[in-house]
Amino acid sequence: MRGPRSLQGRLALAVGLAVTVLWIAAAGATLRELSHEMDEVFDGALRDAAHRLLPLAVRAHEGRDRGLALGPLVRGERDGHRRKDDDDDDRHEGRRNRHAEEWSERIRQFNGDVEDLSYVVRDGDGSILLISEDAEPEDFPPFRREGFSRTATHRLFYESARDEDVTIAVAEPLSRRRHMAREMATNLAMPLAVVIPLSLLAIVIAVGTSLRPVRSLRQQLAERGSRNLSALGDGGLPTELRPIVGSINDLLSRLRAAFEAERSFAANAAHELRTPVAGAIAQAQRLRAETADRSAAARAAEIETTLKRLNSLSEKLMQLARAEGARLRVAEPSDLRAVLRIVAGDLERLGSAGRIALTMPETPVLSDLDPDAFGILCRNLIENALKHGAADEPVEVALSPGGVLSVANGGAPVPPEDLARLTARFARSNGGAEGAGLGLAIVRTIADRAAGRIELISPRPGKSDGFEARFTLPARF
């Protein structure tokens, strides 16, 4: 059986088990000590009872011996003193009766004091001189030595007097001691049944509270990624975790520098390529216009096409670098209808006249999304629809009052396995289609970094073909 995977669960389980074991061990040690003390108290009671009863038994035995010895005096005096002897006998008989009543009363009082104990008094021959009412002679083994002994059912104490002429055995049932031990165990267990669950609950709460900074650190780490490489805060963290946070911050700093260098290189390279590529395109166009050789003109046209693709790629790389590195939210919201209108108009003037069906609300659509970033997003969505959509169907562009931009085009539906990867860099559903495969990747980057949402749907809702992209503007502050 595997333990909990979380650090909080492991700590709570380990500390809880340790505390539970300590509580049980302490209770067990206390029970053993109490049992030992209880045995000493009960043994002391047995010894005291024997010490109290044995003198009574000895006196009674001596009185009986004296009574038996009272008899005729010297044989020669018997006749002269018969009357006197009769009077003495009567007096001795009275004293014996009073003596018997006195010791009987004392023994009754002793029996009342030690009602939980039983005893047997024997003479030197083993004959029983005195026995308690509830005692069974077979429960008292014969006297062998003074001191304590134990049978299967009783704890006994033996003592003797008059050179073992009189012996006493006082017994206590072991069941009484077991009953007392059970009561003590119950009295110890009942508080533990309450204390241990409360201790476990307190441990769970204490561990959870102590690990709150760790959970905060975990949340900060979950928020870090390629879009967020800011340093982690170490406020409130235990000293054991601060070196880890410092190492992670160093790693994030190096990653941030590496990403910045990558974006800077892509943006600078794309920017530096624009001028020579534009010059090369112009030269290719001039060569095609001035040459009379058809094959040379065709080659010049191919060169021009290739250079235009390179120019488009450099433009996309600049847009991607801007989407990844620039701040995409601004302080003051603006109406994004104007941005969408400008982008759609530019694309129509560049050769897509009549293909864009633009629908916008009459009321302003306000958002704190950077207008330049929104323009880049709109351009890429519309260009993607114009390139990959059916040429004989318009591209439907609509901006709703609620801040949802939808761009839909006709054409063959995109397979589900391709739809899921279209936002990756250089991914295209149709490998033979024109384009660098960066348009939807740029859109996804802007949506993620600006807290917007992008959805790709194919076929179009309510139709059996086509493709639709929906971008939901980020929530306003």
Side-chain angles (χ1 to χ4, degrees):
M1 180 177 178
R2 300 181 62 183
R5 301 180 64 89
S6 68
L7 178 60
Q8 177 177 343
R10 291 180 181 180
L11 286 175
L13 179 61
V15 177
L17 286 177
V19 170
T20 301
V21 170
L22 288 176
W23 273 112
I24 294 176
T30 303
L31 182 60
R32 285 195 302 271
E33 185 64 24
L34 289 177
S35 298
H36 179 70
E37 295 291 336
M38 179 189 70
D39 289 339
E40 289 186 353
V41 171
F42 287 163
D43 287 347
L46 281 175
R47 185 169 47 248
D48 293 343
H51 290 166
R52 291 169 56 191
L53 182 59
L54 185 60
L56 300 180
V58 170
R59 294 287 181 85
H61 183 58
E62 290 177 348
R64 187 189 69 171
D65 290 344
R66 286 194 299 270
L68 294 174
L70 293 175
L73 298 176
V74 181
R75 182 183 300 271
E77 299 176 352
R78 180 180 303 171
D79 294 336
H81 299 283
R82 183 177 300 275
R83 183 175 300 276
K84 182 178 179 180
D85 289 342
D86 291 340
D87 294 339
D88 290 341
D89 288 343
D90 291 340
R91 287 195 298 272
H92 282 294
E93 182 66 26
R95 284 198 299 270
R96 284 199 300 273
N97 291 336
R98 290 193 299 274
H99 181 81
E101 291 177 359
E102 177 184 353
W103 295 112
S104 296
E105 179 62 25
R106 292 188 181 184
I107 291 174
R108 282 195 297 271
Q109 292 178 357
F110 176 82
N111 290 337
D113 294 338
V114 294
E115 57 182 7
D116 293 329
L117 305 179
S118 57
Y119 56 87
V120 168
V121 180
R122 292 187 173 97
D123 59 14
D125 297 330
S127 300
I128 297 176
L129 302 177
L130 188 65
I131 186 170
S132 59
E133 294 182 359
D134 56 345
E136 297 292 339
E138 59 269 16
D139 292 335
F140 297 85
F143 175 85
R144 291 187 177 87
R145 60 180 179 84
E146 293 184 350
F148 291 98
S149 67
R150 182 187 294 267
T151 64
T153 58
H154 288 78
R155 175 75 167 171
L156 299 102
F157 180 78
Y158 288 89
E159 194 170 13
S160 64
R162 293 177 54 181
D163 296 330
E164 299 185 0
D165 186 38
V166 178
T167 63
I168 185 172
V170 182
E172 178 189 22
L174 293 178
S175 59
R176 180 174 178 240
R177 298 194 180 192
R178 287 193 291 266
H179 176 70
M180 294 295 294
R182 286 194 297 269
E183 286 189 351
M184 288 190 299
T186 302
N187 293 333
L188 283 174
M190 289 179 62
L192 289 182
V194 177
V195 171
I196 290 179
L198 291 178
S199 299
L200 296 178
L201 178 61
I203 289 170
V204 171
I205 295 175
V207 171
T209 302
S210 300
L211 291 180
R212 188 175 300 166
V214 179
R215 290 194 294 272
S216 176
L217 177 61
R218 181 184 64 184
Q219 182 63 31
Q220 292 185 61
L221 287 173
E223 294 173 353
R224 297 307 184 268
S226 59
R227 308 300 192 271
N228 181 12
L229 295 174
S230 59
L232 300 173
D234 60 353
L237 286 177
T239 55
E240 293 82 0
L241 293 179
R242 290 185 179 180
I244 298 176
V245 173
S247 300
I248 293 175
N249 284 338
D250 291 340
L251 176 61
L252 291 175
S253 178
R254 292 194 295 271
L255 288 175
R256 190 164 55 249
F259 282 135
E260 288 293 341
E262 179 187 355
R263 285 193 292 265
S264 178
F265 173 78
N268 292 335
H271 179 73
E272 294 298 329
L273 282 175
R274 293 181 67 182
T275 300
V277 169
I281 291 174
Q283 292 298 327
Q285 291 174 345
R286 181 177 178 183
L287 177 62
R288 187 181 62 177
E290 292 179 353
T291 184
D293 188 349
R294 291 185 178 180
S295 60
R299 286 195 294 273
E302 292 177 0
I303 293 173
E304 180 184 358
T305 301
T306 302
L307 290 173
K308 286 182 177 180
R309 289 177 180 173
L310 180 59
N311 189 58
S312 176
L313 176 60
S314 64
E315 181 69 23
K316 297 297 182 184
L317 289 174
M318 290 182 63
Q319 292 178 1
L320 183 60
R322 174 175 173 77
E324 290 181 340
R327 182 182 179 186
L328 302 183
R329 307 289 287 271
V330 295
E332 295 294 332
S334 59
D335 185 6
L336 298 183
R337 294 180 303 166
V339 178
L340 179 58
R341 187 181 298 110
I342 292 172
V343 171
D346 287 344
L347 292 175
E348 284 190 337
R349 286 193 298 271
L350 292 176
S352 301
R355 289 196 60 193
I356 300 176
L358 180 61
T359 303
M360 291 189 299
E362 296 181 357
T363 57
V365 180
L366 300 178
S367 175
D368 61 354
L369 178 64
D370 182 70
D372 291 340
F374 183 68
I376 293 173
L377 183 142
C378 294
R379 180 177 293 276
N380 281 279
L381 286 179
I382 297 174
E383 284 181 348
N384 184 75
L386 292 171
K387 288 178 182 178
H388 301 286
D392 57 345
E393 293 187 27
V395 173
E396 299 176 353
V397 180
L399 181 62
S400 70
V404 178
L405 172 67
S406 64
V407 180
N409 60 268
V414 179
E417 60 274 12
D418 291 342
L419 195 65
R421 62 180 183 86
L422 280 182
T423 55
R425 295 183 183 184
F426 305 106
R428 288 175 291 184
S429 177
N430 183 0
E434 295 182 358
L438 291 174
L440 292 180
I442 294 171
V443 171
R444 168 67 70 182
T445 301
I446 294 174
D448 291 345
R449 295 197 66 247
R453 187 174 73 254
I454 183 71
E455 297 177 85
L456 305 181
I457 306 169
S458 184
R460 292 174 293 177
K463 297 186 180 181
S464 59
D465 64 344
F467 176 86
E468 180 176 346
R470 293 179 184 173
F471 172 70
T472 303
L473 294 171
R476 301 168 188 170
F477 294 124

